[in-house]
Amino acid sequence: MFLVDVSILYFCNVSAIGYYVGMVGLSVGEKHFIQGGIAQDLRTDGRKRLTYRPIFVETGVIAQANGSARVKMGRTEVIVSVKAELGRPSSSAPDKGKVSIYIDCSPTAAPQFEGRGGEELSMELSAALRQCLLGGKSGAGAGINLSSLSIVDGKICWDLYIDGLVISMDGNILDALGAAIKAALSNTGIPKVNVASAAPSDEQPEVDVSDEEFLQFDTTAVPVIITLTKIGRHYIVDATSEEESQMSSAVSVSINRQGLICGLTKRGGTGLDPSVILDMISVAKHVSEQLMNKLDSEIAAAEAMEEES
Amino acid sequence: MAAKAGASPATYSPSPTTYKKNRPPIFTDVDWVRPDGRDFHQCRPAFLRTGAVNAASGSAYAEFGNTKVMVSIFGPRESKKAMIYSDIGRLNCNASDNKEISSQLHKSLEGAIMLDTFPKTTVDVFALVLESGGCDLPVVISCASLALADAGIMMYDLVAAVSVSCLGKNLVIDPVSEEENYQDGGLMITCLPSRNEVTQLTITGEWSTPKIHEAMELCLDACSKLGKIMRSCLKESSSTSQE
């Protein structure tokens, strides 16, 4: 049994409490243990600061959806489903499809999710994911190519509904949801559509949605989300609920395969020096390569398993 | 839609092709000029006034070009959820029931306010966007912190917020709504200028790390200048009230 030297005490401002004030009420000793361990690169579960918990991916869990995935990171578990329906494009972007992302935090995951608490968190998560996946207003840098969802300009397009459900909460939900969305999108098949040609200009053209032929969604541009939690003077990746209750602030960075930042949100009220933020971005970039590769191999394995069964 | 010969006047319906609004090519051109003639790295002139709403504990009005915002502060006053004891104060932000702006405003301000100076009570921040001319959220945040200072709520520092748009290869500071609608990416920083601390950072779109460095430097510089303008506004209003 390791005896962590707890004589190093960090006087951190724990004035800003993260999202989830764990129902785990931590004693002062436990708090010092967590903070001290992080300072010495040995967290309570034995991980290093920049190590992720084992990730488990399962695809095709929801038969009625066009694509779905279930991701487990330690004890955090989320399910994402993708449904595609025919819809009308908006008048400001007639050549693009529409994507709507909605996350639901069920009280079964944590009691503080009941009622308003869960609502606020759901909204924040949905907004953060929308930001990461849909890029700038002009569509540049989007993980999902909206133009590929258009069928007939100005009349018919695919509406993608991405719904996430948080089943079990043990910290780091945003990363788990990002991974689950990536997995669900790789599992998504958009049915092939035949458009009846020569339709009069102001009427809806007839479309024939194929039941057999499906086009796989292209997920090479979908980014991963890495959340770096700052505790004391160090950053950790993939924080558990206990560790998150001790954080001063957290930065969630979304990075794509080319190493470009697709989105960034800072959470937690405590101020951070700009150089610290830039440092966190470079650490996140470094970690993202490993996570991206790990995730891709897990998703491929999950798809292979699904095909066998 | 077809006109009937000799019958009632033909109704006009726009044909579908007019719906296509392509991005104005000027934004991708290297020497294009901004709609209001500013430099790429020039912010709009800021007009700030405190004491806009007499009945409130504190208030402020901000006009940055065409973006006009008014914020009023009520409190510290009794919490509605008085059942729950809290040894630090509570901050409640409402921006005309727009949940996203309200939550962003809350996140930006909570790091700057000394909540333990008003335990058991709540400070309400109500923001109203009178005219939206681009860059709404940063203006709301700056105006709100000015109003909090006017109300006498203790804070670590004023909060200044600035946003930058990425249009093609150009970084354009303090975008107007036209520029915002066609941006390839946006970066918004909320900081405490005197302490050089960033309380909120939001990035959308695709950015490379050197570009983020450049944008952050631009924004922090603009924030410190905005902080000075806010301070001089507060000094002016307190000197006029003394007269």
Side-chain angles (χ1 to χ4, degrees), chain A residues 190-204:
Chain A
I190 309 276
K192 231 167 152 205
V193 174
N194 294 319
V195 186
S197 53
S201 55
D202 56 338
E203 284 173 23
Q204 285 287 98

Side-chain angles (χ1 to χ4, degrees), chain A residues 93-156:
Chain A
D95 58 342
K96 296 201 168 117
K98 302 204 292 274
V99 174
S100 100
I101 303 182
Y102 176 70
I103 307 295
D104 185 24
C105 293
S106 146
T108 54
Q112 61 259 33
F113 288 167
E114 193 188 347
R116 253 195 80 213
E119 227 182 272
E120 280 179 22
L121 180 57
S122 306
M123 253 188 36
E124 266 196 74
L125 290 169
S126 310
L129 287 163
R130 223 173 285 135
Q131 202 189 325
C132 294
L133 290 169
L134 299 178
K137 294 240 174 85
S138 72
I144 302 176
N145 186 359
L146 292 175
S147 312
S148 66
L149 295 175
S150 170
I151 302 173
V152 176
D153 269 18
K155 301 228 188 96
I156 306 188

Side-chain angles (χ1 to χ4, degrees), chain A residues 11-128:
Chain A
F11 298 99
C12 0
N13 288 341
V14 204
S15 54
I17 302 173
Y19 289 130
Y20 340 108
V21 179
M23 50 201 164
V24 288
L26 292 175
S27 69
V28 176
E30 284 173 301
K31 289 181 191 168
H32 288 160
F33 190 75
I34 294 176
Q35 289 162 14
I38 289 171
Q40 298 196 26
D41 206 11
L42 180 65
R43 291 154 73 170
T44 46
D45 50 8
R47 285 184 286 155
K48 292 199 163 303
R49 288 197 281 259
L50 299 180
T51 312
Y52 265 84
R53 286 172 286 189
I55 303 177
F56 168 75
V57 176
E58 201 182 318
T59 54
V61 290
I62 300 178
Q64 307 95 320
N66 291 75
S68 58
R70 181 171 130 216
V71 165
K72 266 206 266 209
M73 275 187 186
R75 289 192 300 195
T76 298
E77 194 175 331
V78 300
I79 289 189
V80 167
S81 80
V82 178
K83 277 218 73 122
E85 282 175 13
L86 289 175
R88 223 194 144 87
S90 67
S91 46
S92 54
D95 58 342
K96 296 201 168 117
K98 302 204 292 274
V99 174
S100 100
I101 303 182
Y102 176 70
I103 307 295
D104 185 24
C105 293
S106 146
T108 54
Q112 61 259 33
F113 288 167
E114 193 188 347
R116 253 195 80 213
E119 227 182 272
E120 280 179 22
L121 180 57
S122 306
M123 253 188 36
E124 266 196 74
L125 290 169
S126 310

Side-chain angles (χ1 to χ4, degrees), chain A residues 212-225:
Chain A
E212 283 116 22
E213 292 176 50
F214 286 88
L215 300 168
Q216 283 301 112
F217 214 84
D218 177 25
T219 55
T220 46
V222 178
V224 282
I225 305 180

Side-chain angles (χ1 to χ4, degrees), chain A residues 263-293:
Chain A
L264 190 151
T265 24
K266 177 190 169 296
R267 289 162 16 218
T270 315
L272 282 179
D273 198 80
S275 57
V276 167
I277 296 187
L278 292 170
D279 190 35
M280 282 171 118
I281 294 178
S282 63
V283 169
K285 264 176 105 166
H286 170 71
V287 174
S288 74
E289 288 171 28
Q290 299 163 14
L291 179 64
M292 188 78 97
N293 294 335

